[in-house]
Amino acid sequence: MIHGVLIFNTTGVPRLTKFYTPVHQSIQTLTQKLFSLVCSRPVGLCNFLDAPELDAFLGPKNEEGDRWRVVYRSYATLYFVFVVDGAESELGVLDLIQVFVETLDRSFENVCELDLVFHFDEVHHILSEIVQGGLVLETNIDEIDESVQNMARLRKESFASAYPLSLGGGLSPRNGPLKTPLGWLTGKFTGVGTR
Amino acid sequence: MWERTLKDLIRGLRANKADESKFIAKAIEEIRHEIKTEDMELKAGAVMKLIYLDMLGYDMSWASFHVVEVMSSSRIHLKSVGYLGANQSFNQDTDVLMLTTNLLKKDLMSNPADIGITLNGISNIVTPDLARDLSPELIRMMNHSHPQIRKRTVLALYRVIEKYPEVLQHAISRMKEKLEDPDPGVVAATINVLCELTRQNPEEYLTLAPALFHLMTTSTNNWMLIKIIKIFGSLSPHEPRLVRKLQPPITELISTTPAISLLYECVRTCIIGGMLQGPSGDSLARTCVSKLAAFIEDPDQNLKYIALLAMVKIVPTHPHLVAQYQDTILSSVDDQDISIRMRALDLVSAMVDQTNLQSIVQQILSHLVTDTTTTVHPTAAQSLTQHTIPISPNSIKPHVPPTQSPAYRLILAQRILRMCSQDTYDNVTNFEWYLSVLVDLAHVANVDVGDEIRGQLVDVVGRVRAARRYAVKLMHTVLNDDAILRNAHEEGSCSEVLWAAAWICGEYCNELAEPQKLITLLLRDEISHLPPDIIAVYIQAALKVFGFWAAEVAQRWSEDDLQEVKDTVELISSRVSRFVASSHIEVQERAANTVQLFSFIQADLNNHRPRHDALAGTTLDPMEEPSFPKSLFLIQPLFSSYELNPVAQTAQASVPVPEGLDLDAWFVSPSVVVETKFEKDESKTKKSKKGKGKEVNGGRKAKSGSKRREEDENSNGIVLTPMTAEIETEEEKAERERLRAERLERLRDDPYYIMDKPLPQQSSTNRYVAQEDVDAIPVVKLEGMPSFTEPEPGPSALRNELPEGPVEPYYIDKVGEMPEGAAQPILGTISSSQPPTSKTSRQQTPVPSLVPPSPFPQYEVPGEDTRPSTPDPVKVTRPRKKKVKKKSETVEAS
């Protein structure tokens, strides 16, 4: 079973945290610990994090099969980390990360870290088309992408029907969600937009 | 009030990096207002912001009710926000989950998109109550027309079953049907769920084997095949016929599949199912190992990792196959990747045998040594790779090599100890080497393994006679080592090795040529900084050394020695007297004892008047007043009357029951037992006032187990001695009351009397008395121990005159000492229960009374006349017992 999916960048800022099994520590400390272990590994090493510190941290499991393993992959400025147990195949999870990233890439068209920052809800929706409750739902990228597009379209239509006058909008990628006139003004006046 | 969207929040966060907490506090304040509005859009926006902040570590559980409000929106773009909030923030204790049952039921009836969101949500937030209430719907929905929904339902059911296992029996038949679903995604999801379920409860799913077997032979989906093979891995131990059926297809898969992940699973399942045994299995094993070995040498580190993982599984049954690749495997221990190192370490420790132990241990030990130097100079490759990753300035930190991490060092050190001590040092052929490894380890480990090293040192010296001489020499140098002494208080200094050094030098000081020099070493001023338990051992060791040396001096007494003896005694008393006021009871008591003993010796020495006849000291006529001060013989017998030997773990249980001891007889007359029982009942009810407030009857029920057993025995009619009638006369009752009041009075002020504790211990535990009576164990010298034959030119610090030297091969006293006259059948059980014995005794000093009585060999009390042993006459055993006891006490404490 997959116990957790994390995305954080090379400075350790979380971009997505999703745990399917309750963890004993706060998710933030767990993220920090995983980050410190993962980022200290030079490139070219294997994608399985098997550090002695980890067992103490993830809770020692008596049986070999129950041990939590950490499989990660780094893409540009992001680390994708899956925490799994013995029911998952290590290399299979590695492929799954690839599937996840490719799906993100299709949805966002050349995904970059900022897409994940501003559309973290969309990332959650995409993940929910791949993994549900810690079990793999679908591994075929085309199928996943189709469901993702379908759901995004439905949300967009729903938003459009609520705001018939809004331009585009919806929660779909690259379109500002819930842009109320006031919010839009705020953005204009304060000028904090950094994109 | 400004209403910000999530985007604004994120932008604000990015712009206010310097004052983030203030900005967030303000944002949360705004959210608190927004979330209470009637406007669903605004509410959802607020929830969205909270989810984002939740990821950064800001609690959102307070908003759970508003999350449910958003979940109930009919618009899908809002509903999905609500469900996302619930997925991320709800847990089993979230109280509003009670309110969601109907909402979830309604959403499950809605359009496919809503159902999808809902099923995903159920997977995340389900509680036992929700599971119970929703399970009928979910089971029905497994036949939904939409494959997407069937898929999600199957997965959601797993979480439901997890929370509410009763669902399983209703769901399992549908689950079986889903294995033949037309949609491959549904089949894969079902396999996924079954994989989880079979791992927990394999026997229940054996009936699925035919369907799974069919899928295995027809499917080409590697992802699913891996899971199916995993399921078979769980099933095959419970169904031997399955193994035979699986062998051909799995062999086929192993030889054809290019996917190592699948290969790894096949290998694993083969091993679990025992498919690698027998002639056909052997060739299969050979195929596996050669395939895996190729992967180990693969440049892809991931394949290497998995191959090592799989090799570990094969080693126990086919060590010779893996041994061919020993060099490759050993080089993986040096891999720069710590993950691979860990796996290689696992593999290497599984492969270890007599021939390769030394080289493997040296290699691991070198990791602990060399890496202390590489901290300062990271290799060029390391610094290069570091800069290939774009790292923002604030994250640059000194790169710590993996081998520097304390957790890794601890694992290395423990691995070394475990490899060597495995099966009571089965793999160690040279104990001098091992002892020096232990000392080296103490020096370089820099982690907290001192305790284990100490245990091993003492255990080796106790079990391997031939190693004692070298051990004493080695430990002498350790005692001389100022560095350890100086760092004793630092973490990871392994100062416990000093404990072992002092103990070994003290116990076996007869190996030293000039033991008196050791006293000065043991009682240096610096030792006062050591941990108290070590100081105690130092004092004790000094005492032992003096005892040995003084006796030796007395044997060859000449008046010239008097001054040296006086000086030594003076030295010991003055040095030790500093510890008399120690705040640690152990140190204080030992110091006080020593000072008192030595004040006696001192007085005797001062009274000593040399006799000037030529024969002084040469004859030891007991009738004549000896020429040497008699007090020189005061200390030695306290320590050396009996040699310490490792004790077999079952020794305690094997002590024969002395003749004339009837273990089933009452110790106290039954009337007293009855009385105490009543009393206990009453005190019980008194005490349990705060509890269930039971009546006297209830109190009787709540008795301790021993008591209950006694009662059972009574009710079964196995009354050993007739009980007094339950109905007692007035007189008896009055008498009993009086006795009881008397005793209660007596015990009231006794701090050691715990009311609830069952008083009549003897009556309930009398069958175990034999185990608990430590003094009753007659300890004897073992005859037929290997003797030291060859004299060795030994180092100067050791005494030469004793004809001792290492005997080849080293004899390890694995079995340990057994009591005199242990019954034969019990000896049989000892040899069979040898592995556990060696395993636990490894950590212990060979002290008789420390060995816990083994719980399993139930000692059957044979009839008195059939017992083959004869107990020692009282006259002989008693002084022995005394001495032994003293000995064991001192050693135990030291």
Side-chain angles (χ1 to χ4, degrees):
Chain A
M1 184 175 149
I2 297 167
H3 293 284
V5 176
L6 295 167
I7 305 176
F8 44 75
N9 68 6
T10 43
T11 56
V13 181
R15 293 305 179 207
L16 174 104
T17 54
K18 176 74 216 158
F19 273 87
Y20 299 100
T21 309
V23 283
H24 299 299
Q25 313 85 6
S26 86
I27 287 172
Q28 282 70 37
T29 44
L30 198 58
T31 312
Q32 280 312 311
K33 186 74 195 175
L34 287 173
F35 166 70
S36 67
L37 289 171
V38 165
C39 80
S40 66
R41 290 169 63 81
V43 286
L45 302 190
C46 73
N47 294 89
F48 310 111
L49 178 64
D50 202 338
E53 293 91 344
L54 210 59
D55 281 344
F57 203 73
L58 293 175
K61 301 287 193 292
N62 296 328
E63 280 176 53
E64 222 268 318
D66 289 341
R67 201 168 60 88
W68 282 16
R69 305 124 202 264
V70 175
V71 185
Y72 74 96
R73 246 182 158 150
S74 82
Y75 292 90
T77 57
L78 292 173
Y79 287 107
F80 287 71
V81 182
F82 276 50
V83 182
V84 300
D85 68 16
E88 301 297 329
S89 150
E90 281 85 353
L91 292 171
V93 171
L94 212 51
D95 288 345
L96 195 68
I97 298 180
Q98 181 67 27
V99 168
F100 184 27
V101 173
E102 277 183 36
T103 316
L104 287 175
D105 201 44
R106 283 203 198 180
S107 310
F108 290 108
E109 292 154 32
N110 287 325
V111 65
C112 70
E113 190 181 341
L114 277 175
D115 291 323
L116 268 50
V117 175
F118 284 98
H119 303 288
F120 88 103
D121 54 328
E122 186 61 26
V123 182
H124 272 288
H125 295 319
I126 291 171
L127 180 63
S128 77
E129 298 294 337
I130 303 172
V131 181
Q132 178 187 309
L135 298 174
V136 178
L137 181 69
E138 183 56 69
T139 50
N140 183 322
I141 295 180
D142 293 328
E143 292 240 354
I144 298 167
D145 192 46
E146 198 191 309
S147 327
V148 168
Q149 300 297 341
N150 186 29
M151 291 304 283
R153 185 176 47 78
L154 286 172
R155 281 195 296 273
K156 201 166 159 182
E157 285 168 9
S158 160
F159 178 77
S161 70
Y163 290 92
L165 297 177
S166 76
L167 306 161
L171 291 167
S172 67
R174 306 271 167 151
N175 283 309
L178 302 178
K179 188 154 262 188
T180 58
L182 265 180
W184 179 78
L185 269 178
T186 321
K188 281 280 176 242
F189 285 139
T190 50
V192 287
T194 49
R195 260 204 98 178
Chain B
M1 182 175 68
W2 295 109
E3 288 153 6
R4 296 169 200 258
T5 62
L6 173 67
K7 220 169 219 180
D8 301 325
L9 176 78
I10 295 169
R11 286 194 183 128
L13 274 174
R14 293 166 73 85
N16 288 283
K17 279 210 172 97
D19 205 1
E20 203 179 85
S21 58
K22 205 170 146 197
F23 178 81
I24 288 176
K26 200 164 137 262
I28 289 182
E29 203 47 48
E30 288 171 5
I31 291 169
R32 277 182 194 279
H33 286 291
E34 291 168 14
I35 210 162
K36 288 187 187 123
T37 59
E38 294 290 308
D39 183 353
M40 240 359 176
E41 295 286 345
L42 202 55
K43 207 189 268 286
V47 168
M48 189 80 114
K49 285 190 274 184
L50 276 179
I51 303 170
Y52 187 82
L53 290 176
D54 178 67
M55 179 170 73
L56 301 180
Y58 296 89
D59 179 52
M60 68 172 285
S61 58
W62 56 271
S64 50
F65 181 75
H66 303 290
V67 171
V68 176
E69 283 183 309
V70 180
M71 278 164 80
S72 66
S73 163
S74 58
R75 296 183 183 280
I76 189 164
H77 73 283
L78 300 179
K79 190 184 274 300
S80 52
V81 171
Y83 272 97
L84 181 58
N87 292 348
Q88 289 297 91
S89 70
F90 285 10
N91 58 39
Q92 296 294 298
D93 303 324
T94 306
D95 46 5
V96 292
L97 273 173
M98 285 185 297
L99 309 173
T100 57
T101 316
N102 280 322
L103 170 67
L104 292 171
K105 278 189 180 177
K106 201 180 100 217
D107 284 347
L108 285 179
M109 300 293 167
S110 182
N111 58 55
D114 279 359
I115 295 177
I117 295 173
T118 313
L119 287 171
N120 185 48
I122 290 173
S123 278
N124 283 296
I125 62 174
V126 68
T127 62
D129 285 346
L130 281 178
R132 188 193 56 223
D133 297 339
L134 297 175
S135 54
E137 271 89 351
L138 289 174
I139 290 176
R140 206 165 44 239
M141 283 170 67
M142 281 172 88
N143 285 347
H144 200 278
S145 58
H146 220 290
Q148 191 72 22
I149 288 171
R150 289 205 298 274
K151 206 157 65 173
R152 282 196 184 272
T153 311
V154 169
L155 294 189
L157 257 175
Y158 172 66
R159 303 308 294 251
V160 167
I161 291 167
E162 224 179 20
K163 291 284 184 275
Y164 187 68
E166 282 86 340
V167 183
L168 185 58
Q169 47 182 324
H170 307 292
I172 192 68
S173 57
R174 284 268 165 96
M175 207 72 103
K176 224 185 270 184
E177 286 166 32
K178 291 299 116 189
L179 285 177
E180 284 147 31
D181 197 276
D183 185 89
V186 179
V187 179
T190 314
I191 292 285
N192 251 338
V193 172
L194 287 175
C195 181
E196 298 290 333
L197 289 173
T198 43
R199 275 159 59 81
Q200 293 154 14
N201 231 342
E203 295 97 328
E204 310 265 312
Y205 302 94
L206 284 172
T207 50
L208 295 177
L212 292 171
F213 190 83
H214 175 74
L215 277 175
M216 181 173 89
T217 43
T218 49
S219 172
T220 51
N221 177 354
N222 269 353
W223 185 273
M224 198 166 81
L225 276 176
I226 289 173
K227 290 274 177 180
I228 295 177
I229 301 276
K230 268 188 194 288
I231 296 177
F232 279 129
S234 317
L235 293 182
S236 55
H238 300 274
E239 178 55 89
R241 283 174 297 170
L242 194 57
V243 174
R244 253 176 294 143
K245 188 115 169 77
L246 283 174
Q247 200 157 6
I250 287 195
T251 312
E252 173 75 15
L253 272 177
I254 287 177
S255 23
T256 54
T257 182
I260 188 181
S261 47
L262 189 56
L263 176 69
Y264 167 71
E265 292 309 330
C266 290
V267 168
R268 210 176 135 263
T269 299
C270 283
I271 291 155
I272 294 171
M275 288 176 216
L276 300 185
Q277 260 85 56
S280 62
D282 216 44
S283 67
L284 184 57
R286 209 173 293 276
T287 319
C288 290
V289 171
S290 61
K291 278 209 160 206
L292 292 172
F295 283 125
I296 291 187
E297 287 167 69
D298 199 284
D300 185 340
Q301 297 271 323
N302 291 330
L303 299 187
K304 196 169 178 176
Y305 179 89
I306 299 292
L308 288 169
L309 213 55
M311 282 277 209
V312 176
K313 312 260 179 208
I314 297 190
V315 172
T317 50
H318 297 80
H320 54 285
L321 291 179
V322 179
Q324 296 167 15
Y325 304 96
Q326 189 174 319
D327 293 340
T328 325
I329 295 163
L330 271 180
S331 66
S332 307
V333 178
D334 293 329
D335 200 283
Q336 55 161 340
D337 186 345
I338 186 135
S339 303
I340 288 184
R341 278 192 190 201
M342 293 279 289
R343 291 304 121 222
L345 212 53
D346 265 358
L347 183 53
V348 158
S349 12
M351 290 166 58
V352 86
D353 63 21
Q354 289 199 352
T355 53
N356 59 17
L357 175 77
Q358 292 204 8
S359 58
I360 290 176
V361 168
Q362 291 300 355
Q363 191 174 2
I364 299 177
L365 205 58
S366 72
H367 285 189
L368 288 168
V369 182
T370 51
D371 284 311
T372 44
T373 55
T374 52
T375 25
V376 200
H377 316 286
T379 62
Q382 272 171 341
S383 20
L384 272 178
T385 47
Q386 239 193 315
H387 293 292
T388 53
I389 319 166
I391 295 175
S392 74
N394 60 353
S395 80
I396 289 179
K397 49 186 171 186
H399 182 241
V400 182
T403 45
Q404 276 314 104
S405 91
Y408 178 63
R409 298 181 71 86
L410 185 65
I411 282 188
L412 285 182
Q414 284 172 337
R415 274 293 152 77
I416 292 177
L417 293 174
R418 211 168 310 144
M419 276 192 273
C420 294
S421 60
Q422 201 172 302
D423 298 329
T424 327
Y425 315 105
D426 237 1
N427 295 326
V428 181
T429 48
N430 181 348
F431 278 92
E432 295 190 0
W433 167 81
Y434 184 44
L435 287 168
S436 49
V437 164
L438 286 173
V439 173
D440 288 350
L441 191 58
H443 278 109
V444 301
N446 206 14
V447 281
D448 208 7
V449 284
D451 215 30
E452 288 158 62
I453 296 177
R454 167 179 67 183
Q456 299 252 298
L457 281 171
V458 175
D459 195 39
V460 166
V461 175
R463 287 183 192 276
V464 189
R465 251 156 219 271
R468 283 182 192 165
R469 172 176 263 268
Y470 178 77
V472 170
K473 179 187 154 207
L474 193 64
M475 292 300 118
H476 194 269
T477 59
V478 170
L479 286 179
N480 248 324
D481 192 332
D482 289 333
I484 303 188
L485 198 59
R486 214 170 29 242
N487 301 332
H489 271 286
E490 282 166 29
E491 205 165 317
S493 64
C494 294
S495 60
E496 288 91 343
V497 77
L498 292 174
W499 190 109
W503 188 85
I504 291 170
C505 284
E507 190 63 28
Y508 303 109
C509 58
N510 54 338
E511 303 279 359
L512 287 169
E514 291 182 295
Q516 71 278 19
K517 301 230 166 111
L518 191 63
I519 297 177
T520 340
L521 196 56
L522 284 169
L523 296 177
R524 290 194 274 183
D525 288 336
E526 291 89 339
I527 69 160
S528 53
H529 305 300
L530 288 173
D533 59 325
I534 300 183
I535 300 181
V537 179
Y538 267 68
I539 296 176
Q540 201 73 0
L543 205 57
K544 284 182 199 169
V545 173
F546 177 80
F548 174 78
W549 174 69
E552 203 182 41
V553 168
Q555 298 278 357
R556 47 167 175 79
W557 180 256
S558 79
E559 292 305 328
D560 309 336
D561 293 329
L562 183 63
Q563 195 50 46
E564 192 186 357
V565 175
K566 271 187 174 173
D567 288 348
T568 311
V569 169
E570 174 62 32
L571 174 93
I572 295 180
S573 356
S574 69
R575 294 277 170 88
V576 172
S577 60
R578 280 178 304 152
F579 296 110
V580 168
S582 165
S583 57
H584 298 279
I585 186 71
E586 192 65 39
V587 177
Q588 191 196 85
E589 187 175 349
R590 273 154 207 280
N593 278 343
T594 311
V595 167
Q596 288 310 314
L597 284 170
F598 275 79
S599 69
F600 176 76
I601 299 173
Q602 221 161 7
D604 185 55
L605 287 176
N606 288 337
N607 287 334
H608 179 70
R609 291 287 166 269
R611 281 190 302 164
H612 289 289
D613 55 289
L615 288 170
T618 53
T619 56
L620 284 172
D621 185 357
M623 299 306 290
E624 213 177 304
E625 186 70 5
S627 59
F628 52 84
K630 278 186 285 186
S631 60
L632 291 184
F633 274 121
L634 177 69
I635 309 283
Q636 196 209 13
L638 299 179
F639 295 108
S640 58
S641 308
Y642 286 95
E643 196 182 349
L644 283 182
N645 285 315
V647 173
Q649 193 161 40
T650 46
Q652 202 103 70
S654 312
V655 175
V657 181
E659 227 170 300
L661 171 63
D662 182 2
L663 292 176
D664 293 329
W666 290 100
F667 276 25
V668 261
S669 70
S671 59
V672 179
V673 176
V674 171
E675 192 241 10
T676 49
K677 188 156 116 191
F678 274 90
E679 178 210 39
K680 200 162 72 76
D681 291 348
E682 277 166 41
S683 67
K684 193 91 188 178
T685 38
K686 248 186 264 165
K687 287 253 165 169
S688 63
K689 239 180 245 165
K690 60 176 189 289
K692 286 129 198 163
K694 279 179 181 158
E695 300 299 302
V696 179
N697 259 346
R700 285 187 66 144
K701 266 183 214 156
K703 270 185 284 265
S704 71
S706 63
K707 205 68 199 177
R708 206 176 297 131
R709 195 178 68 203
E710 185 191 302
E711 242 183 12
D712 289 349
E713 277 173 7
N714 289 348
S715 59
N716 292 341
I718 324 170
V719 188
L720 300 165
T721 317
M723 304 251 304
T724 43
E726 288 285 336
I727 310 141
E728 41 190 353
T729 62
E730 264 326 288
E731 256 173 89
E732 280 169 346
K733 194 172 180 182
E735 172 68 6
R736 192 167 58 73
E737 283 299 312
R738 194 186 58 76
L739 280 171
R740 191 179 146 259
E742 216 171 70
R743 204 199 10 253
L744 277 182
E745 187 62 38
R746 201 166 62 235
L747 295 174
R748 179 173 300 150
D749 299 325
D750 188 346
Y752 300 110
Y753 182 73
I754 302 164
M755 287 295 193
D756 270 342
K757 202 176 174 189
L759 256 189
Q761 282 270 341
Q762 318 92 309
S763 59
S764 57
T765 59
N766 53 7
R767 69 178 58 180
Y768 300 112
V769 162
Q771 293 183 6
E772 282 164 15
D773 190 358
V774 175
D775 294 347
I777 308 169
V779 178
V780 290
K781 277 187 186 171
L782 264 194
E783 300 304 328
M785 286 293 202
S787 56
F788 309 105
T789 43
E790 297 167 59
E792 204 199 23
S796 57
L798 300 177
R799 72 181 44 232
N800 281 325
E801 54 268 40
L802 284 175
E804 289 180 5
V807 183
E808 290 296 339
Y810 287 96
Y811 169 77
I812 311 165
D813 188 358
K814 286 191 181 182
V815 181
E817 210 168 18
M818 287 296 289
E820 196 174 60
Q824 271 311 313
I826 290 167
L827 275 171
T829 58
I830 289 153
S831 53
S832 66
S833 64
Q834 201 40 50
T837 305
S838 55
K839 201 173 164 194
T840 42
S841 60
R842 191 197 307 149
Q843 302 297 339
Q844 290 166 342
T845 53
V847 174
S849 52
L850 275 184
V851 181
S854 152
F856 37 85
Q858 194 71 39
Y859 187 68
E860 291 291 336
V861 185
E864 287 93 330
D865 43 354
T866 55
R867 217 176 300 118
S869 65
T870 44
D872 289 335
V874 178
K875 219 170 102 196
V876 185
T877 44
R878 264 182 96 195
R880 271 188 175 187
K881 274 202 298 193
K882 248 187 178 160
K883 278 177 191 164
V884 169
K885 191 184 173 201
K886 187 142 209 166
K887 176 88 174 169
S888 65
E889 267 176 4
T890 48
V891 175
E892 181 184 24
S894 56

